[in-house]
Amino acid sequence: MYRILKIVALLALVIACRKPIIEGEQTPWQISALPNSVRLNPVTNEIIEYQYQADKSNQEPRKNLLERNWIFDGDTVRLKGARGEYISFQLVISNRQDTELTGLKVEMSPFIRNNIPLNVPPELFLEWSLAIKTTSTGYPKATLGTGWYPDALIPLKYIQQDSTEVRGRWVYPFTLPDFNNRIEGQKSQIVWVDQYIPFEKEKAEPGTYTTEVTVTIDGVGQQIPVKIDVWDFAIPKANHFKASLQQEGFLSGLDEEQELAIYQLFKRNRISLMDPTYSPALKVDKNGTTHVVWDDFDARLKKYLTGEAFTEAMGYKFGPGYGEPTETFVLPFDVYGKHGTKGWPNIGKPDVERNPKNIALYKKVIKEVHDHLVPIVDLNKTDLIVYLNGLDESYFPEAWDRMVYFGKIFKDMYPEAQFRVDGAYNEEAMAVIRNSISAWAVHTINYNHGEVKKYRDLGIKDWLYGPLLYESKVNSWVGSTTFIDLPLVNDRAISWSCWKYNTYSWLSWGIGAGWENGWYDPESWKDFYKEASEADAEFSYRKFNGNGSLIYKPGIVPNISEACPSIRLKTMRNGVQEYEYLRLLTKLDGNSDRADALVNKLVNEPFGDHAIGNLKVWSFDPQLWDEQRLHLGDMIHQLVKNKK
């Protein structure tokens, strides 16, 4: 009898240790879980997304999501996913006392089904928060306000777990409050959990996979069971959608090791990168003839164009796009223009660029680039783009004439490439340039769908480009979708909006603008221009939080030696993955009716003239977005099952 009682007592103790502590239990610390679609203020433990004031439906009293929510029932995390995609959630460790917590450890073993583990382990990141002290300029209504925002995701391998065993000086100890983040009054540490589900069916058979995440502090452990239902379908290995970020000089200015790490980081998150400044060397021979020198260019970039950069041989062990080439590549051509660029090849300013000798050189280089890249680039997988930075967003007739002139040259000599112009071009401009361009990054402020479709019908590929909310015209200042203090869903909704409008894809400016300072200063763009000609009567300055910056530079925070992604980048990834869900459902249905209905339930009319001043462009309810994703996945799973 004594042995039985002892066993029962032991089992009770095990069960107690497994159960996460919920609000109301007076214990020193607790653990909980949140969906990936919300952010938690680590000081107030409030959901930041619920602070959006422009949508009245979001002002209803909300339950404490740390107790339970749509992925966490207070005991277990339950997720669903397809092969070939990442799914994620957030683990929250909350301190219920005033004293510091040290000796923290977070562990998570691989998911298992029928005693067979997934061959890809969970990836854990410590969330680093930024203090928003001034809200983004031009968004007094849409901003989520000041306070602490988690954003940077530090791989947990760089954190010294169990700080009671720290050896050496230069470490990042795991404590609450965070030793390095320095958040006054911090109540919670948040850990982001990513799980990639292998693309191959034999590596991830449909069914339920289980594991648990364990938090240990001072020898006391708590666990949360985690379950993933893997659907019986996969989203494509390659990124057909080609969602992209562009920043001139960012990638080409990195050393090659860091460059490779950045390309792989974004490939893993299904976002393509573009930098138009990869200019091969030009050499003049003894006869005075100019030739392109390819050695350095090929050594550096060929691996991205063939897909070799995204294989295990180059350190890319698993993830989306394994072995697939970069989805977009901007050719190095340019002309002298508004940014003071000299052009490549350099044929001088507009008054001499069309001289026979100069334009002959330009055409010769075009032919050499074309002939060299033909055997390297798979045009079925990689979009080649001509983007003349010197003519970027140029709204005057002289520039339009140059677009026509060079556009015709590229259409004749490099027809496989898209000649792309970016900006808010009106009917007058488009009447001039429409027959000379093949792609248009349409600024969202003038993305009037009926007008854009007219040019799409002429064969011009339209890319969505620019901010996603317009309180007023002043928001058109930037070409970036990325703001820390605006609703997180924005970076997800851009992909759904492309589906709604049948847009070719989307493009946002900035990869790591201000990534050095981003760890400690969220205002990635500061511009005081009171005396400038474009000064606005209401806003005589610009301060944008996170604009153009989706990653954080290594070597700034002690011991963090690789670039860290942001929560906003993960949200972009989720939108791209969900676009592939919509594509799959449409293919299986044979029409887009059900896919369109799901999109229209979430997305209203977000862009163009009528969207200015309208802040209800899509649903701002994160639960509704997550439910529609599950609905999409369940429908696809059932269709696949019925076909067997």
Side-chain angles (χ1 to χ4, degrees):
M1 181 59 125
Y2 173 76
R3 290 183 61 190
I4 294 174
L5 289 174
K6 188 175 181 180
I7 292 172
V8 170
L10 181 61
L11 287 173
L13 179 62
V14 170
I15 292 170
C17 288
R18 287 180 54 87
K19 184 179 179 182
I21 301 170
I22 62 173
E23 193 74 27
E25 293 187 24
Q26 296 304 311
T27 53
W29 55 278
Q30 66 181 54
I31 60 174
S32 183
L34 289 173
N36 63 19
S37 52
V38 301
R39 292 168 293 183
L40 184 76
N41 184 317
V43 174
T44 66
N45 273 358
E46 295 175 342
I47 301 298
I48 295 171
E49 269 48 57
Y50 287 167
Q51 296 171 187
Y52 190 62
Q53 298 298 309
D55 184 2
K56 298 294 184 182
S57 65
N58 216 37
Q59 294 182 10
E60 299 175 1
R62 299 285 180 169
K63 295 180 179 179
N64 183 355
L65 297 190
L66 290 177
E67 289 185 359
R68 59 184 66 247
N69 53 67
W70 51 96
I71 68 153
F72 177 62
D73 62 5
D75 178 77
T76 302
V77 171
R78 289 180 169 84
L79 306 169
K80 291 186 177 183
R83 301 192 309 279
E85 78 164 329
Y86 269 101
I87 57 174
S88 50
F89 71 95
Q90 299 172 86
L91 170 72
V92 181
I93 308 165
S94 295
N95 193 353
R96 298 178 57 86
Q97 57 188 6
D98 294 331
T99 57
E100 180 185 27
L101 292 176
T102 60
L104 277 70
K105 292 179 66 176
V106 177
E107 300 169 294
M108 190 172 178
S109 56
F111 284 87
I112 293 177
R113 177 177 178 268
N114 296 334
N115 295 320
I116 300 175
L118 286 179
N119 67 343
V120 177
E123 300 166 56
L124 276 59
F125 305 83
L126 179 65
E127 298 187 13
W128 173 281
S129 294
L130 297 163
I132 302 294
K133 296 181 179 180
T134 304
T135 57
S136 291
T137 304
Y139 292 99
K141 297 178 182 178
T143 181
L144 299 174
T146 58
W148 288 95
Y149 286 71
D151 194 55
L153 299 176
I154 303 172
L156 214 59
K157 65 184 179 181
Y158 293 115
I159 308 300
Q160 173 65 55
Q161 299 217 53
D162 193 349
S163 54
T164 62
E165 299 180 0
V166 167
R167 298 291 182 270
R169 296 166 57 191
W170 297 107
V171 298
Y172 191 139
F174 199 178
T175 63
L176 176 57
D178 191 303
F179 181 81
N180 282 330
N181 207 173
R182 300 300 177 90
I183 304 172
E184 186 175 354
Q186 182 179 5
K187 292 180 181 177
S188 294
Q189 278 277 33
I190 314 165
V191 174
W192 183 280
V193 180
D194 254 357
Q195 177 62 53
Y196 178 69
I197 303 175
F199 176 80
E200 299 82 4
K201 187 171 182 177
E202 63 272 16
K203 295 181 180 179
E205 292 284 349
T208 301
Y209 293 75
T210 62
T211 187
E212 60 184 18
V213 57
T214 300
V215 178
T216 305
I217 303 177
D218 290 333
V220 177
Q222 297 179 36
Q223 293 83 27
I224 294 180
V226 185
K227 296 182 178 181
I228 295 178
D229 289 331
V230 175
W231 285 309
D232 193 10
F233 67 90
I235 61 175
K237 182 187 298 184
N239 294 325
H240 301 304
F241 186 39
K242 304 180 190 297
S244 301
L245 301 171
Q246 178 169 312
Q247 186 176 344
E248 295 72 29
F250 179 77
L251 295 167
S252 64
L254 300 173
D255 64 59
E256 293 185 40
E257 181 180 355
Q258 196 172 71
E259 175 189 60
L260 176 62
I262 298 300
Y263 268 105
Q264 291 181 344
L265 171 62
F266 279 87
K267 174 69 83 170
R268 187 165 283 113
N269 288 283
R270 290 190 175 266
I271 304 296
S272 185
L273 300 178
M274 294 192 277
D275 183 341
T277 63
Y278 283 117
S279 303
L282 297 175
K283 182 179 180 180
V284 180
D285 64 21
K286 61 183 179 180
N287 298 318
T289 303
T290 299
H291 300 278
V292 180
V293 181
W294 290 106
D295 294 350
D296 291 344
F297 181 92
D298 286 352
R300 183 168 186 176
L301 295 172
K302 188 175 180 179
K303 57 183 175 290
Y304 304 115
L305 297 172
T306 63
E308 181 190 1
F310 311 111
T311 62
E312 188 168 6
M314 299 294 290
Y316 194 85
K317 296 182 179 180
F318 59 84
Y322 185 91
E324 296 290 332
T326 184
E327 295 81 11
T328 52
F329 184 77
V330 184
L331 297 168
F333 302 105
D334 201 0
V335 295
Y336 181 90
K338 62 182 286 186
H339 298 297
T341 52
K342 293 182 179 180
W344 190 88
N346 183 8
I347 56 173
K349 296 183 178 181
D351 58 339
V352 299
E353 65 187 6
R354 302 188 194 185
N355 290 351
K357 182 178 180 181
N358 292 341
I359 203 62
L361 169 62
Y362 207 84
K363 290 181 177 180
K364 180 180 186 301
V365 172
I366 292 175
K367 185 177 188 307
E368 286 193 33
V369 172
H370 175 274
D371 293 349
H372 182 76
L373 293 181
V374 163
I376 297 174
V377 178
D378 184 345
L379 295 173
N380 293 316
K381 295 184 176 182
T382 301
D383 279 4
L384 292 178
I385 295 169
V386 173
Y387 164 79
L388 303 180
N389 194 36
L391 296 176
D392 177 49
E393 299 196 43
S394 297
Y395 305 119
F396 49 94
E398 293 82 1
W400 306 340
D401 177 69
R402 295 175 75 199
M403 292 175 192
V404 170
Y405 180 77
F406 285 99
K408 184 178 187 305
I409 290 175
F410 282 107
K411 277 200 168 185
D412 290 343
M413 300 194 66
Y414 216 137
E416 301 93 337
Q418 299 179 33
F419 179 60
R420 195 192 83 210
V421 297
D422 299 6
Y425 295 105
N426 58 22
E427 288 285 333
E428 179 186 4
M430 292 302 293
V432 176
I433 68 175
R434 64 185 184 184
N435 293 322
S436 304
I437 64 174
S438 50
W440 177 19
V442 189
H443 211 288
T444 46
I445 197 168
N446 76 319
Y447 194 92
N448 297 299
H449 183 244
E451 296 176 15
V452 172
K453 186 178 183 302
K454 177 172 63 177
Y455 301 111
R456 183 189 303 159
D457 292 342
L458 294 175
I460 298 173
K461 292 182 172 67
D462 53 308
W463 297 66
L464 271 173
Y465 168 70
L468 302 182
L469 294 179
Y470 281 96
E471 287 195 30
S472 65
K473 289 185 178 180
V474 75
N475 298 135
S476 64
W477 272 337
V478 297
S480 174
T481 67
T482 55
F483 291 85
I484 294 172
D485 60 320
L486 294 186
L488 188 60
V489 70
N490 290 356
D491 291 314
R492 183 179 187 179
I494 183 69
S495 295
W496 289 65
S497 298
C498 284
W499 182 273
K500 182 182 181 79
Y501 292 124
N502 197 28
T503 309
Y504 184 71
S505 192
W506 59 258
L507 168 67
S508 185
W509 181 84
I511 300 168
W515 69 328
E516 298 95 340
N517 299 328
W519 288 102
Y520 299 100
D521 185 356
E523 293 172 0
S524 55
W525 186 308
K526 295 178 184 174
D527 183 9
F528 188 79
Y529 68 114
K530 191 171 184 178
E531 302 301 324
S533 60
E534 71 270 25
D536 180 83
E538 183 178 359
F539 302 107
S540 59
Y541 59 89
R542 311 179 196 189
K543 292 183 178 181
F544 302 138
N545 293 303
N547 177 252
S549 182
L550 286 160
I551 53 176
Y552 292 78
K553 188 175 182 179
I556 306 299
V557 173
N559 206 47
I560 310 305
S561 58
E562 71 178 64
C564 295
S566 64
I567 290 176
R568 291 166 294 131
L569 176 59
K570 300 294 182 183
T571 304
M572 283 183 166
R573 175 197 70 190
N574 293 344
V576 173
Q577 291 180 158
E578 289 154 3
Y579 186 97
E580 296 299 343
Y581 277 46
L582 294 164
R583 195 199 303 268
L584 274 172
L585 179 62
T586 296
K587 182 178 180 180
L588 290 167
D589 277 350
N591 60 72
S592 66
D593 293 348
R594 289 204 294 174
D596 293 345
L598 282 171
V599 173
N600 291 332
K601 186 172 182 178
L602 295 173
V603 181
N604 301 321
E605 298 291 333
F607 310 119
D609 297 334
H610 61 277
I612 298 173
N614 175 20
L615 295 178
K616 295 184 179 180
V617 293
W618 38 65
S619 170
F620 291 94
D621 183 348
Q623 182 174 358
L624 183 59
W625 281 87
D626 289 351
E627 288 173 349
Q628 294 310 299
R629 172 192 171 272
L630 291 177
H631 191 31
L632 263 171
D634 285 339
M635 287 192 292
I636 298 169
H637 174 79
Q638 192 60 47
L639 285 168
V640 171
K641 184 178 178 180
N642 292 343
K643 286 181 177 291
K644 291 185 175 180

